[in-house]
Amino acid sequence: AGRTARRAAAAALLLLAAVRAGAGELTHADLVRAFPPPIVVGERDPDLPVWPIFSQLGPPTFATELAGYVFESIDLAPIPGFAGTPLDLLIALDRSGEFLDVRVLSQHEPVFLGGVGTAPLFRFVAQYRGLDLRQNVKIGGAAPAGERGDSANVHLDGIAKATASVRIVNQTILSAALRVARARLGFAGRDPDLVAHERTDLFAPMTWEQLRRAGLVQSLVVRNREAERAFAGTPAAGLDPVALERPDDALVELYAALATVPTAGRSLLDDDGWRTLQGRVNPGDHVLLVMSRGRVGFLGDDFVRGSIPDRITLRQGGLPVELRDLDVEASLRPIGEPAGLEWKAFRVIAQSGLDPGAPMDLALRVTRERGIVYPERTSRDFTLTLTVPARYLVPAAEDQRGWRSIWRARWREIAVLLAALAFLAWTLGRQTRLVTRTAWLRRFRPAFLAFTLLFVGWFAQAQLSIVNLVALLQATVDRRSWAFFLWDPMSTLLWVFALGTLVVWGRGTFCGWLCPFGALQELAAGAARLARLPRLRPSAIADRRLKAVKYGILAVVLGVAIVSRAGADRAVEVEPFKTAITMVFARSWPFVAYAAALVAAGAVVDKLFCRYLCPLGAALALGGRLRRLDWLRRRPECGHPCQTCRRRCDYQAIGADGRIDYAECFQCMECVAVFHDAARCAPRILEAKGRRMKIVQPGAGARRAREER
């Protein structure tokens, strides 16, 4: 029966490889129902999976105005969740990058399916309505005093017990929306979380020449000869008599400095100017101080204070970055700067994505006119490439929206887990006195199981599950990245350790020591023993047949996943892990009753769920077939005829012939303690009396009778 079940499970694994995940499936009719008049839904864009939406200004056949775009996130940012399946969200953006709507179309996140429920998820995504895509979205916590009012930082309420899933939702929304905004709304620049920042802790007053030598003030001198050369071959050639008369004179001297670098800004601006600058910028904003002198200025005759200049432009990476006058009424500090400088301070908001750690191109446009009534204008750009010395910058951070930030935030938990895993591996691998001496083992094992339940399970939420296996297979079949595992560092590390020990020691390292629900069962069984509750031990035949059931359950779960992903969400509920560990029994009563019943049953029949019903255990047992090391020591007398360890094995993982079935062994180490115990190991007891146990090779009939007992 066990062999048949294993074959069925393997067949289900192969069949699952034929399943592919679909992309967005909304039709034009669906969107028309979702966005009724006065909104008009246009035809799907042939180059990008988006639908334009129009605001109807008159009759349906009269005038409409483009209002924005609507799209499905799965078409643009299919980021897998913890079930391995990407969330699908309906997102609507207006022409300025503001979220008109965000709705959940489909999701398979375990924590929202029967866990905390979907209502918190719906409330979370509803917070995006009205937000601007150029704002920095931060999950959880209240905005500090310095980030209120005009700040671009927006703090959204998170969801308890779903932190990692919420980050995936946020990344999905922003990644999909930014892709549309850059393709259809003209957005440019880098992610503001991925740029360098000015050092605010470094200041030393400098003179003009010192600023120049330090690279904090950089310049471009355009001479008349160079300007004339630029206009050569155009109708504007030769129109500047001064340039022809004095070709070596400067047409314009252009200077630029990043004034939000304190050494530059405080040295160049007087005290009033520096205070004004500090009071008008938000965290992450940049201020570019532009100065010039010569026959051509960088401000047009019709320049309006507080506006965008029309003669200078800032570009980075070939993309334009908006400059806006900060309207600072102050003076330059007399530090030896050239006389007659015209200057302005221009603000670049943080959301533009300007990276001060990368070169910036400040272009001055020079225009010549030919004719009087209908003048013909010809323009040429002269570019100053500004680079800020690395000494005055904080290097660009890694992606704060990605999984790396989660690992950094949870480094303490990670350190504790790694230390515990290393200690467990050393204890089991070396078979230290903690597991070879009965008295020590009976203290150490419950203590470690309590750590597994309380820290690994209830605190760190690192319960491995068949959900992870299904997600991994689906991601592999769909050729998606496995990176979704990295959003939960504790589970990722536990999986790496479990798989590593699987091929060395077998299934029991995880199932016997590191599974929080398994620990809960075993601790409940220990409490039942203290209470002197009765214990049941199935017969050898019943035990063997029941152990095959979990392979059948594994095959069914994977088979249902092939037919229906929604069905798979229900099928994985055969595991009580979500109820007992993730939700700590805070679910509706049928789930709580089921989980509690399994815990109670495990107190009577040792590890009943793990031995007979667990699909994850079945998968690990199959993987454990790769093990080649029989690392638990045996004596020649074990099973021939000594049956001491077999009778003491609560999990019935030792055969009548004395061999250990590693696929069913939970590494309780009781047999190891017996092996080293001169008071319990029968061969050692006889050796102490100067006698030896006679090794017996029983016949088939005797072995069968022994196995049935």
Side-chain angles (χ1 to χ4, degrees):
R3 183 177 300 174
T4 302
R6 293 186 193 103
R7 287 177 177 174
L13 287 171
L14 293 175
L15 187 55
L16 183 63
V19 180
R20 296 298 301 240
E25 297 180 354
L26 286 182
T27 65
H28 184 270
D30 295 329
L31 292 173
V32 168
R33 287 190 292 270
F35 295 92
I39 296 298
V40 175
V41 180
E43 295 301 321
R44 179 169 167 145
D45 192 302
D47 300 320
L48 193 70
V50 299
W51 284 267
I53 54 176
F54 301 90
S55 175
Q56 188 172 309
L57 301 178
T61 58
F62 185 57
T64 56
E65 179 183 3
L66 179 66
Y69 295 91
V70 61
F71 47 92
E72 291 182 69
S73 65
I74 199 170
D75 288 327
L76 297 158
I79 301 172
F82 282 109
T85 303
L87 296 96
D88 193 13
L89 306 167
L90 180 67
I91 303 172
L93 280 181
D94 72 6
R95 291 187 303 171
S96 66
E98 182 177 307
F99 288 99
L100 298 173
D101 200 0
V102 179
R103 307 179 195 177
V104 179
L105 296 176
S106 67
Q107 58 88 23
H108 298 269
E109 291 299 280
V111 71
F112 298 130
L113 297 173
V116 299
T118 56
L121 175 60
F122 295 157
R123 289 195 295 270
F124 175 76
V125 301
Q127 296 177 91
Y128 286 85
R129 295 170 189 159
L131 297 187
D132 193 310
L133 186 55
R134 289 165 293 195
Q135 293 173 303
N136 291 329
V137 175
K138 297 184 179 180
I139 308 299
E147 294 187 4
R148 296 174 185 155
D150 294 334
S151 172
N153 295 316
V154 176
H155 291 253
L156 302 185
D157 294 331
I159 303 175
K161 296 186 179 297
T163 303
S165 292
V166 163
R167 286 178 180 267
I168 293 175
V169 173
N170 180 60
Q171 188 188 44
T172 297
I173 293 172
L174 296 181
S175 297
L178 279 169
R179 184 173 173 185
V180 173
R182 290 188 173 112
R184 291 292 178 270
L185 304 180
F187 275 46
R190 297 186 61 194
D191 188 323
D193 286 338
L194 304 178
V195 301
H197 295 279
E198 298 89 333
R199 287 186 60 177
T200 58
D201 61 338
L202 189 62
F203 169 70
M206 291 186 179
T207 65
W208 179 265
E209 284 304 317
Q210 289 172 331
L211 290 172
R212 293 288 305 275
R213 288 196 298 269
L216 292 174
V217 172
Q218 297 178 24
S219 64
L220 170 71
V221 178
V222 180
R223 303 198 176 277
N224 290 328
R225 177 183 289 105
E226 296 166 350
E228 194 61 36
R229 189 182 303 124
F231 285 101
T234 72
L239 292 182
D240 186 351
V242 177
L244 297 175
E245 182 179 347
R246 296 192 292 272
D248 293 329
D249 287 359
L251 174 68
V252 60
E253 298 174 19
L254 184 68
Y255 302 91
L258 196 63
T260 31
V261 173
T263 298
R266 291 178 62 181
S267 295
L268 288 166
L269 294 171
D270 62 17
D271 293 339
D272 290 340
W274 178 251
R275 282 194 296 268
T276 301
L277 183 150
Q278 291 291 97
R280 293 185 183 177
V281 297
N282 292 320
D285 289 353
H286 312 282
V287 175
L288 192 66
L289 196 63
V290 180
M291 302 159 282
S292 75
R293 68 175 183 173
R295 294 191 296 121
V296 175
F298 62 86
L299 297 178
D301 296 334
D302 55 354
F303 175 75
V304 178
R305 292 166 56 178
S307 67
I308 300 172
D310 56 359
R311 287 189 182 177
I312 56 172
T313 57
L314 183 66
R315 303 178 72 87
Q316 189 171 63
L319 300 173
V321 179
E322 183 181 277
L323 288 172
R324 186 174 291 274
D325 176 32
L326 197 59
D327 195 16
V328 176
E329 292 185 357
S331 302
L332 294 180
R333 196 182 299 273
I335 56 173
E337 74 279 6
L341 286 180
E342 176 186 36
W343 68 274
K344 279 287 182 182
F346 296 99
R347 176 188 180 192
V348 180
I349 62 173
Q351 295 74 30
S352 68
L354 179 71
D355 186 354
M360 299 168 273
D361 292 328
L362 181 67
L364 172 65
R365 174 155 293 191
V366 176
T367 302
R368 291 181 177 180
E369 296 183 357
R370 183 186 183 91
I372 299 176
V373 180
Y374 298 104
E376 181 180 2
R377 293 183 174 87
T378 304
S379 299
R380 289 292 181 267
D381 289 340
F382 299 90
T383 302
L384 165 61
T385 299
L386 177 66
T387 57
V388 180
R391 177 171 179 259
Y392 298 96
L393 297 174
V394 177
E398 294 178 345
D399 192 347
Q400 300 300 308
R401 298 191 184 107
W403 58 266
R404 294 178 181 85
S405 62
I406 300 176
W407 285 67
R408 287 192 295 271
R410 301 186 68 179
W411 70 268
R412 294 180 181 85
E413 299 167 45
I414 291 171
V416 172
L417 180 62
L418 289 176
L421 296 179
F423 176 65
L424 179 63
W426 176 78
T427 301
L428 298 181
R430 295 285 300 273
Q431 294 193 13
T432 65
R433 66 176 62 187
L434 289 173
V435 296
T436 57
R437 296 189 179 185
T438 303
W440 289 47
L441 177 62
R442 291 181 179 173
R443 294 185 182 93
F444 170 64
R445 183 165 172 80
F448 197 93
L449 292 177
F451 166 81
T452 295
L453 175 62
L454 298 175
F455 178 79
V456 177
W458 285 341
F459 178 76
Q461 296 284 291
Q463 171 72 67
L464 305 189
S465 168
I466 191 63
V467 172
N468 305 138
L469 180 59
V470 171
L472 177 66
L473 292 172
Q474 290 175 339
T476 302
V477 170
D478 298 336
R479 298 181 180 179
R480 296 195 306 267
S481 169
W482 294 358
F484 62 90
F485 275 108
L486 297 175
W487 289 80
D488 188 353
M490 303 295 281
S491 295
T492 298
L493 293 174
L494 206 54
W495 265 117
V496 171
F497 184 81
L499 294 176
T501 56
L502 190 67
V503 299
V504 178
W505 296 325
R507 162 201 181 187
T509 308
F510 170 76
C511 293
W513 291 90
L514 294 167
C515 176
F517 186 77
L520 176 61
Q521 283 190 107
E522 195 159 335
L523 292 172
R529 293 190 192 102
L530 293 176
R532 299 184 182 278
L533 295 179
R535 299 171 64 195
L536 299 179
R537 184 183 177 95
S539 68
I541 293 177
D543 176 70
R544 185 168 59 251
R545 291 174 177 173
L546 287 171
K547 283 175 177 174
V549 172
K550 61 179 174 289
Y551 297 101
I553 293 175
L554 174 63
V556 169
V557 170
L558 298 180
V560 171
I562 294 169
V563 177
S564 167
R565 298 200 176 207
D569 295 336
R570 294 188 292 271
V572 296
E573 291 290 354
V574 69
E575 290 181 333
F577 302 164
K578 184 193 301 183
T579 300
I581 305 301
T582 305
M583 303 304 300
V584 197
F585 292 99
R587 292 187 77 184
S588 57
W589 74 265
F591 295 103
V592 173
Y594 174 65
L598 289 175
V599 174
V604 178
V605 179
D606 290 289
K607 281 188 179 288
L608 179 142
F609 178 80
C610 302
R611 292 163 65 187
Y612 304 138
L613 302 175
C614 181
L616 177 63
L620 293 176
L622 290 173
R625 301 288 174 180
L626 299 173
R627 178 197 52 79
R628 290 295 179 265
L629 176 66
D630 292 341
W631 65 286
L632 295 174
R633 295 175 63 184
R634 301 276 80 200
R635 298 180 187 277
E637 298 88 350
C638 293
H640 310 291
C642 184
Q643 300 291 311
T644 302
C645 291
R646 175 171 174 259
R647 293 193 180 97
R648 289 182 179 274
C649 181
D650 293 329
Y651 312 117
Q652 298 171 261
I654 300 178
D657 58 0
R659 286 184 292 185
I660 296 174
D661 183 358
Y662 284 89
E664 302 299 335
C665 174
F666 290 89
Q667 293 178 14
C668 67
M669 307 303 284
E670 184 67 25
C671 63
V672 174
V674 171
F675 182 93
H676 291 276
D677 193 340
R680 292 194 296 165
C681 179
R684 293 193 62 181
I685 293 173
L686 291 176
E687 288 175 6
K689 295 179 179 180
R691 300 163 56 189
R692 292 183 62 85
M693 180 176 285
K694 184 178 180 181
I695 299 175
V696 178
Q697 297 295 339
R703 283 197 303 270
R704 185 161 48 249
R706 189 178 295 165
E707 290 174 354
E708 291 175 356
R709 289 200 297 270

